[in-house]
Amino acid sequence: MPNIAVLGAGIIGVSTALNIQNLIPSAQVKIISDKFGQETTSWGAGGLFRPTAKFIQGVPEEKIRRWARAGWDFYSSLAVSDKAKESGMQIVSGFILSQTKVENPLYKDFVYSFHEISRKAATELGFGHYKFVYQVTTVIAIVRDYLPYLFKRFEENGGQTEQRRIDDLNELVGQYDLVVNCTGIGSRSLFGDTSIFPVRGQLLRVKAPWIKNFIYTEDDAYLIPNGELLVVGGCRQHNNYNLNIEASDSKAILERCYKICPELKGAVIDHEWTGLRPTRVPIRIEKEILQLKKGRLVVVHNYGHGANGISMSWGTSMDAAELVKDALLSSKL
């Protein structure tokens, strides 16, 4: 019975742990992290399935499409099942606004619908100042439901959790047959990866039940219905480690969003959130064998998804689980 530790308890970590269980039923898998639930970066995600190739650099498009297909198949199957409420998967329609033509976007082949609307319709909807407007029907993950749902499945499969901060990888040598690294930004200090960097995001969740459709732009302005609340964002601040809520950012976000959705005025702010998107070029999914002070440690990495964490999580986790299986088989030869 292989003994495996997964470091990191966000969407990437628990998705990887679940896929390892699916692929290697005999494995004993433990998720180790100092942060769980609402303390993770995943908790604040808007959750819209709209994978975008320009934010996934350094990866062949064929591989990105395979990851996207795997994610879509999993999420959409939940969204139309009796597990929709429990899993937090919700079907949503909305509009993507752009000043340039959106040519064959990554998600076009997966989502329920994607088409350009007429100039007349765009103008009547208040989007006339954008040259191109597309109507899309896709799914969103309500993370406050989706993350607990994944953990429930993980624990039902016999998975264990441990709240603990790992500062030295030597702590794990001899304790586990293999370690999976899903620590995101933590990989910089724990594994010495200077390629990983944060892209700071800030958003608000507001009460605006009259707004039913998402609106997404290329101008750091978006609105996404997310359960009972509406996500209003956002910003992309590279190499900014600030986790404080900045009033100036919130003010700028609201001003940008009022321009694309005047009906947002009157919404009541429920709470604000900020987080650091762990970004790497390319996303790191690979095996590494470390020779440490206390001995040899076999590691499989899965991190660096940036703004596409939810969209790419299931597909990349399937690949990481395959690497785990191959590594375990190699160690037996």
Side-chain angles (χ1 to χ4, degrees):
M1 178 187 293
N3 197 15
I4 299 167
V6 176
L7 308 183
I11 292 292
I12 306 299
V14 68
S15 296
T16 303
L18 259 176
N19 274 290
I20 291 170
Q21 290 177 324
N22 292 340
L23 197 60
I24 315 169
S26 64
Q28 179 60 59
V29 186
K30 178 182 283 188
I31 295 174
I32 303 174
S33 180
D34 61 333
K35 296 178 181 178
F36 283 83
Q38 63 185 23
E39 293 185 332
T40 64
T41 301
S42 299
W43 196 261
L48 183 69
F49 185 89
R50 194 195 67 96
T52 308
K54 79 173 185 177
F55 295 129
I56 313 173
Q57 298 177 17
V59 179
E61 186 169 323
E62 176 276 330
K63 182 176 285 188
I64 300 173
R65 287 188 177 276
R66 179 165 55 78
W67 291 340
R69 167 55 72 187
W72 175 259
D73 288 348
F74 182 61
Y75 304 144
S76 61
S77 66
L78 287 171
V80 295
S81 76
D82 59 359
K83 299 293 185 183
K85 183 179 186 304
E86 182 185 3
S87 68
M89 286 297 162
Q90 176 180 324
I91 298 171
V92 63
S93 293
F95 303 95
I96 292 175
L97 319 181
S98 179
Q99 298 295 4
T100 57
K101 190 172 182 63
V102 179
E103 299 275 8
N104 295 316
L106 189 61
Y107 50 85
K108 180 180 178 182
D109 296 335
F110 311 123
V111 297
Y112 296 114
S113 67
F114 172 91
H115 66 270
E116 185 177 354
I117 68 173
S118 68
R119 293 309 306 161
K120 177 178 180 293
T123 301
E124 290 178 352
L125 285 164
F127 305 144
H129 50 300
Y130 283 88
K131 294 180 181 178
F132 301 93
V133 179
Y134 302 88
Q135 188 165 20
V136 181
T137 302
T138 182
V139 297
I140 59 168
I142 303 170
V143 178
R144 69 172 183 268
D145 295 324
Y146 181 53
L147 192 57
Y149 170 76
L150 293 180
F151 266 98
K152 180 182 176 184
R153 285 184 53 174
F154 170 70
E155 290 169 349
E156 287 174 347
N157 290 342
Q160 299 177 344
T161 61
E162 181 180 352
Q163 188 156 13
R164 169 186 170 196
R165 180 181 175 86
I166 303 294
D167 292 309
D168 185 347
L169 293 172
N170 282 287
E171 299 174 39
L172 304 172
V173 175
Q175 302 298 309
Y176 298 95
D177 299 300
L178 186 145
V179 170
V180 184
N181 171 33
C182 303
T183 61
I185 296 293
S187 299
R188 194 174 184 92
S189 58
L190 192 57
F191 289 87
D193 186 357
T194 56
S195 299
I196 186 83
F197 63 94
V199 177
R200 180 180 177 274
Q202 185 168 312
L203 52 79
L204 306 90
R205 277 181 162 82
V206 306
K207 297 176 182 178
W210 57 91
I211 298 176
K212 305 295 185 183
N213 295 303
F214 75 82
I215 305 173
Y216 203 98
T217 80
E218 57 194 12
D219 307 315
D220 283 342
Y222 56 82
L223 301 93
I224 306 171
N226 198 268
E228 297 174 356
L229 299 174
L230 180 74
V231 174
V232 180
C235 61
R236 299 178 189 274
Q237 299 169 355
H238 289 232
N239 289 303
N240 185 340
Y241 283 86
N242 178 17
L243 283 171
N244 295 319
I245 300 294
E246 296 296 338
S248 58
D249 284 333
S250 293
K251 182 174 182 289
I253 289 166
L254 286 171
E255 288 176 352
R256 289 195 295 270
C257 289
Y258 287 149
K259 290 178 181 177
I260 60 170
C261 185
E263 57 268 41
L264 177 63
K265 291 186 178 181
V268 176
I269 296 174
D270 185 82
H271 65 276
E272 297 169 87
W273 176 89
T274 186
L276 308 179
R277 305 177 183 97
T279 306
R280 189 183 190 274
V281 180
I283 295 171
R284 191 180 190 189
I285 305 174
E286 63 182 0
K287 183 180 84 168
E288 182 179 23
I289 298 176
L290 300 176
Q291 300 296 337
L292 302 173
K293 184 177 180 180
K294 287 190 175 181
R296 180 174 177 268
L297 188 68
V298 181
V299 178
V300 169
H301 299 282
N302 184 14
Y303 66 90
H305 300 63
N308 283 280
I310 303 296
S311 295
M312 294 286 101
S313 60
W314 196 254
T316 59
S317 295
M318 291 175 70
D319 277 14
E322 288 285 356
L323 288 178
V324 169
K325 183 179 180 181
D326 292 345
L328 291 173
L329 287 174
S330 298
S331 67
K332 292 179 181 178
L333 297 178

